[in-house]
Amino acid sequence: MLIKYFLRLCLLTLPLLAAAQPGAVPSVQIGVMAFADPGIIQARWQPTADWLTDQLQRPVQVVPLTPEQLEQAIAQTSIDFIIGNAMTTVAFKKDHGTSHLLTLVNNISDIPELAMGSAVISHQQHPIDDWSALAHQRIISSDPRAFGGFQIFAASLANQGMDAYRDVKQLEFVGFPQQKLLQQLVERRADVAILPACVLESAVRQGRIAPGLLQVQLVEPQHALPCEVSTPLYPGYALSKLGGTDHQLATAVVKALLAITPHNPAALMGQYQSWAAPVDDSSVFALRRQLAQWPFVTNWQRLLHSALPWVAAVLIILLLGYLHHVRVKRLVVKRTLALSNEVAKHQDTQERLLEQQQQFYRAQRVLLTGEMASGIAHELKQPLAGIRYLAQGCVYRLDEYQQALATPLSKIIEQVDRAQTTIHRLREFCQQSSHYQAHDLGQIIEDTLMLMQPDLRHCQIHWHRPSQPCWVYADASLLQQVLVNLLRNALDAMTHLATPQLWIECQSGDIDYQVVIRDLGCGLSESALARLFLPFETSKPHGLGLGMVICKRIIEEHDGQIVATHAQPGLRLHINLPRKA
């Protein structure tokens, strides 16, 4: 027995020692609720861990844990995620901040909300027709915290007006694995066994129990499971994260698990079809209410029932005063923290907007410098080439008596080459590299609106985002610069309005996507509209007249088009971008 516990302790501590080595990538630890042999649980979930290791590009380990070991691992923060029943997430939420991320769709039930129940099993010669008859039976179960076994059974017993601990006279918890409960029924060492649904049918299929020898009693009508149950059905296994687990890591794990298909080796070995979004677990809270578990019972209520009336009255008064103090203090802390977070977010947004503006201004300067460099290079290219060709021709025409001129002419050619190299380097320096990759055009617009939220807070935004992603191959930073400039121009055109309004729509065409931005501003005249995209044309007192030119260049660099048309009132801008190849 000591060797067994020592091995389990090593299994829990080895991942932490490996992660503590200098330079080692910390592994992701997933604790799996184990109600059977840990070796069987490890073999079942190891392909899923291998899949996550491949998808996350970092080691992922599964650790089979009994309920007691799971509580210790969570208290020591030695695991990052939990794969267990729905009660597990709710039970640990209060103290450890667990969050339900995904629900397992197993091979038994296609309805994850109805995937787990309890079966009251007895010998075929020992039928049970009524719940009240269980009060005088020898009942065995694996563990009082087994969701699919004892806890659902206890809640169903409570619905019949009975308490599992008070009214059942002979109740014994014999531990794991669950198969030994069936063997005790066969050997008549117990009258009734409480087990998860489908355990008996699985044992019969595997040849461990003779068909018809044991039967499920008090059968509950249902259509979700291909086996008999005695209780209502509840959600099955789920993936949960601990409160201290990084949200970015949790997002990556969720994406990787959602990509598993029924034919994936991880699903085949794990005996499930796929992972799905979290399901409604209100039935689990109802079950906890029936079992008088958190959050429906508190310590002071238990103390009230066990203490003398006059002592309880004093404690209640003190406790209410303390709770009021804690509540007020918590509200103050919570509101202060919320205000601090809001200020921090506002400052972060302002910094990002300022950085975006600085990038746009740098782009203006680079464009102007590039235009000047291109003009200078174009003007100097021909004279320098002529000088070089003439000098080279003179070298070719020198006779043996004029070799003294060869060296000066070669120096001229060398200096011409040097000047051409300098011009070439200047043009390369003025070129601005872009980083192209696949982006959702709707998400780029969402990020831009979030970035400009302080400027748009007094403006009504009518944003119509398409239901499907609009994938384009683009530099997201450059497109954001275009959108920021266009939205700022629209706001500047509506400064005279009491209630400015903006319409933004992303439409999907046959070969491209179209972004339409419309304002209610003063608009442009025909001549101003015709010269909108010409350099150094501006109506602003301190403008450079390069904003719309840069926008046009950026859109054209993305193989798109930008067109401005009149609106009544205001101005309408159309941006066309090709679909991602």
Side-chain angles (χ1 to χ4, degrees):
M1 181 63 70
L2 291 175
I3 295 176
K4 180 178 180 182
Y5 282 110
F6 176 75
L7 291 176
R8 290 182 178 178
L9 180 61
C10 291
L11 184 64
L12 287 173
T13 56
L14 279 177
L16 294 177
L17 293 176
Q21 296 179 359
V25 178
S27 60
V28 180
Q29 303 294 316
I30 302 179
V32 180
M33 184 79 77
F35 295 108
D37 183 6
I40 298 176
I41 301 299
Q42 185 75 36
R44 175 184 178 186
W45 291 102
Q46 187 58 45
T48 302
D50 295 339
W51 168 265
L52 290 174
T53 298
D54 181 64
Q55 296 296 312
L56 302 180
Q57 296 297 308
R58 63 184 295 184
V60 178
Q61 296 181 347
V62 292
V63 185
L65 300 170
T66 63
E68 296 87 354
Q69 295 171 341
L70 182 62
E71 290 185 5
Q72 295 175 3
I74 292 177
Q76 297 170 1
T77 64
S78 60
I79 59 176
D80 305 298
F81 299 91
I82 306 170
I83 295 180
N85 54 60
M87 287 283 278
T88 304
T89 303
V90 177
F92 294 131
K93 187 175 185 63
K94 173 176 161 244
D95 296 323
H96 304 285
T98 56
S99 302
H100 189 177
L101 300 179
L102 293 174
T103 299
L104 188 73
V105 181
N106 58 39
N107 291 334
I108 300 177
S109 174
D110 292 331
I111 307 175
E113 295 92 335
L114 306 174
M116 184 171 292
S118 296
V120 178
I121 304 173
S122 67
H123 201 279
Q124 62 151 347
Q125 299 177 358
H126 191 79
I128 298 175
D129 300 326
D130 190 79
W131 286 88
S132 59
L134 296 173
H136 306 288
Q137 306 295 322
R138 293 177 300 168
I139 300 179
I140 58 175
S141 183
S142 57
D143 190 276
R145 288 163 293 189
F147 178 49
F150 180 75
Q151 291 195 344
I152 297 180
F153 164 76
S156 298
L157 208 61
N159 287 335
Q160 305 296 323
M162 301 173 62
D163 184 276
Y165 295 100
R166 183 187 66 240
D167 298 326
V168 178
K169 307 303 180 184
Q170 302 180 64
L171 175 63
E172 182 181 0
F173 297 101
V174 298
F176 304 100
Q178 297 170 335
Q179 298 292 342
K180 70 179 181 181
L181 277 71
L182 298 176
Q183 190 61 36
Q184 291 192 23
L185 287 182
V186 173
E187 298 172 359
R188 298 298 184 94
R189 287 188 286 164
D191 299 326
V192 176
I194 309 301
L195 285 168
C198 301
V199 171
L200 174 60
E201 288 79 359
S202 176
V204 171
R205 286 195 304 270
Q206 297 172 4
R208 298 180 181 179
I209 301 295
L213 182 62
L214 303 178
Q215 293 182 348
V216 177
Q217 308 294 334
L218 306 173
V219 176
E220 182 84 7
Q222 54 86 25
H223 62 281
L225 298 181
C227 51
E228 294 181 327
V229 296
S230 307
T231 65
L233 298 179
Y234 295 86
Y237 267 48
L239 173 75
S240 306
K241 86 171 188 70
L242 269 67
T245 303
D246 181 62
H247 73 280
Q248 294 180 343
L249 172 62
T251 301
V253 170
V254 168
K255 289 181 179 179
L257 291 179
L258 287 176
I260 296 178
T261 61
H263 301 292
N264 190 295
L268 296 176
M269 288 298 297
Q271 303 173 17
Y272 60 84
Q273 300 181 40
S274 62
W275 293 88
V279 298
D280 180 14
D281 58 356
S282 58
S283 58
V284 178
F285 280 87
L287 186 146
R288 295 187 71 86
R289 182 191 295 274
Q290 292 172 335
L291 297 178
Q293 295 180 357
W294 183 89
F296 303 104
V297 66
T298 53
N299 292 334
W300 65 268
Q301 290 176 322
R302 296 172 184 169
L303 182 62
L304 177 64
H305 288 294
S306 61
L308 294 175
W310 63 274
V311 175
V314 174
L315 291 177
I316 289 174
I317 294 174
L318 294 176
L319 185 59
L320 289 177
Y322 176 74
L323 289 177
H324 178 70
H325 169 73
V326 171
R327 177 178 175 273
V328 173
K329 183 178 179 180
R330 182 180 178 184
L331 288 175
V332 171
V333 173
K334 184 176 180 181
R335 291 175 181 175
T336 303
L337 181 61
L339 182 60
S340 301
N341 292 336
E342 188 67 24
V343 172
K345 289 180 180 179
H346 181 74
Q347 292 176 347
D348 182 64
T349 302
Q350 290 292 337
E351 291 175 358
R352 291 172 57 194
L353 185 58
L354 180 60
E355 181 182 358
Q356 196 77 11
Q357 290 176 340
Q358 292 175 348
Q359 290 180 359
F360 193 76
Y361 294 150
R362 284 197 295 268
Q364 288 180 332
R365 291 193 295 269
V366 169
L367 177 63
L368 183 58
T369 307
E371 294 287 345
M372 294 174 61
S374 297
I376 294 173
H378 179 73
E379 294 297 331
L380 295 181
K381 181 178 180 182
Q382 299 299 330
L384 288 175
I387 293 172
R388 194 183 192 284
Y389 292 149
L390 293 174
Q392 191 71 46
C394 291
V395 172
Y396 290 155
R397 289 171 174 78
L398 292 177
D399 55 27
E400 57 183 354
Y401 302 106
Q402 297 174 324
Q403 293 302 317
L405 297 176
T407 300
L409 290 174
S410 298
K411 293 293 184 179
I412 293 174
I413 295 174
E414 181 181 342
Q415 293 302 318
V416 169
D417 292 339
R418 182 180 177 185
Q420 289 180 337
T421 302
T422 302
I423 292 174
H424 179 70
R425 288 179 178 176
L426 178 61
R427 295 188 64 184
E428 286 185 346
F429 175 78
C430 294
Q431 290 177 351
Q432 194 175 24
S433 60
S434 302
H435 304 282
Y436 286 82
Q437 58 184 350
H439 291 283
D440 179 11
L441 186 56
Q443 188 60 47
I444 293 177
I445 298 175
E446 290 275 4
D447 294 342
T448 305
L449 293 177
M450 182 63 67
L451 181 68
M452 297 188 62
Q453 186 176 9
D455 294 331
L456 299 174
R457 63 180 181 273
H458 299 303
C459 180
Q460 293 185 10
I461 305 297
H462 306 278
W463 160 228
H464 302 282
R465 182 173 181 175
S467 57
Q468 299 295 329
C470 300
W471 294 107
V472 294
Y473 192 67
D475 186 324
S477 178
L478 292 179
L479 291 185
Q480 277 194 348
Q481 290 178 20
V482 172
L483 294 172
V484 167
N485 191 59
L486 297 181
L487 294 178
R488 280 193 172 277
N489 288 344
L491 292 177
D492 292 341
M494 294 188 293
T495 53
H496 63 287
L497 297 180
T499 307
Q501 298 186 56
L502 269 175
W503 282 265
I504 307 173
E505 185 174 2
C506 185
Q507 303 171 351
S508 177
D510 295 334
I511 60 173
D512 59 4
Y513 297 108
Q514 185 181 63
V515 178
V516 181
I517 302 176
R518 184 202 166 187
D519 60 67
L520 296 179
C522 55
L524 295 175
S525 63
E526 290 293 341
S527 59
L529 185 63
R531 303 177 62 85
L532 180 61
F533 297 104
L534 295 179
F536 309 110
E537 291 289 337
T538 179
S539 59
K540 299 179 181 179
H542 303 288
L544 295 178
L546 293 175
M548 296 305 293
V549 177
I550 293 177
C551 293
K552 188 173 186 294
R553 293 287 178 85
I554 292 175
I555 296 301
E556 290 177 349
E557 183 180 345
H558 288 78
D559 298 328
Q561 292 181 342
I562 179 169
V563 179
T565 59
H566 288 295
Q568 298 299 329
L571 189 68
R572 183 184 293 108
L573 288 161
H574 301 261
I575 301 175
N576 292 79
L577 291 172
R579 292 174 178 265
K580 176 182 177 294

